[in-house]
Amino acid sequence: MSFINYASREINCKIVYYGPGLCGKTTNLQYIFNKTAEESKGKMISLATETERTLFFDFLPLALGDIRGFKTRFHLYTVPGQVFYDASRKLILKGVDGVVFVADSQEERLDANIESLENLKDNLDEQGFDIEKIPFVIQYNKRDLPNVTPLDELSRLLNERKVPELEASAMTGEGVFETLKAVAKLVLNDLKKGG
Amino acid sequence: MIGPQSSLVMYEEEYQQIVVLLEKLLQESNSKVIFLVDKNGQLIAASGETANLDTTSLASLTAGNIAATGGLAKLIGEKEFSILFHEGEKDNIHISIVGGRVILVVIFDERSSLGLVRLRVKKTSMELASVFEELAFRSEQESKSADSVSPFAEITDDDIDNLFN
Ligand SMILES: Nc1nc2c(ncn2[C@@H]2O[C@H](COP(=O)(O)OP(=O)(O)OP(=O)(O)O)[C@@H](O)[C@H]2O)c(=O)[nH]1
Ligand SMILES: [Mg+2]
């Protein structure tokens, strides 16, 4: 749910990175944080376990620039991907404006991707979102690894809605900003229709 | 009711009313900082000694805190916990839900007390709730009225591309 503030002339949008455990959601945010100029970002907050697994969420506020005299701010969140953190995932989806599904391209994670995507659909539905309409992009991450599922197969299995899909390697940063840009575009276009 | 997909909209006039209420609460409760956060973690307004505070992070964590305790509440059959209080060595945080939708956060030290903060928050909450009611009504009217033009109706792909340059 975007927040349009006429008093401070700002638009705030919430984007959630979703996906199975260890698919690279936190790595996406870390890369964005590292590559963003000081004046355009706030602190990155990671509520994580001692082994660096996301426990509740990561949060990164970005101020991208102006559109039509409004400061555009994006609040990026990741969910904890491990299956048993479902209650937390539901909370983080509240008020979301756009979703990035980060898939782990490794063959052995195919089932985990499908399961996580089903879980996303259930949780969005439970929050009253229209799964067919919410701004949504898919990132096929870890393309740098040798044992990856071919793209067309991933696309066939995960991208029923034919939303924008991108290849990435979050560790090196390849495709990370392209993904953010793709979802931001959908969110802002949505604002244009709905506002 | 505001559905999950509709935007929260803040107008200059209501914003000023909110700021006045927060300033008054700050003084009457002898507190250090007060801020108001949307349940989704967006900062709406702040007053007091905010200069050295990362209010964006505070807003997001506050919302996460309310969301998590709200989840706990449901598990034990409560609707929500409408007040949270965290006591520190010097500073304390009092968090409460206003009008079911926004979160009021008061940070105070030994110059004030939990009793005083509670009392003042109660009064201000009612006043804030009525401002937010008006706001919801107004944004609904504006979105219905045919001649209201969204400032974003004219956004082009170029505008969006420029954001990332
Ligand atoms: N080779 C390779 N490794 C990656 C890539 N992206 C992330 N990783 C690694 O995968 C591991 C997990 O990454 P995280 O970003 O913590 O995963 P996550 O999705 O946040 O995991 P949870 O918090 O448990 O949901 C880390 O060791 C990363 O370095 C990638 O593109 N390529
Ligand atoms: Mg993580």
Side-chain angles (χ1 to χ4, degrees), chain A residues 159-170:
Chain A
N159 194 2
E160 278 171 19
R161 221 182 103 189
K162 299 288 162 235
V163 296
E165 49 188 1
L166 303 102
E167 286 185 79
S169 170

Side-chain angles (χ1 to χ4, degrees), chain B residues 75-129:
Chain B
L75 288 178
I76 64 162
E78 280 287 326
K79 201 171 135 268
E80 63 187 1
F81 296 119
S82 52
I83 294 177
L84 306 178
F85 175 60
H86 301 298
E87 190 174 345
E89 270 176 20
K90 286 204 314 263
D91 292 338
N92 313 294
I93 298 191
H94 184 280
I95 302 174
S96 56
I97 299 176
V98 174
R101 166 112 199 221
V102 291
I103 306 167
L104 178 64
V105 182
V106 179
I107 302 177
F108 64 96
D109 59 16
E110 79 285 346
R111 286 172 290 176
S112 182
S113 69
L114 180 57
L116 179 64
V117 168
R118 265 216 163 118
L119 186 74
R120 300 301 187 207
V121 160
K122 208 167 178 181
K123 181 167 146 254
T124 307
S125 288
M126 289 193 308
E127 294 167 328
L128 282 170

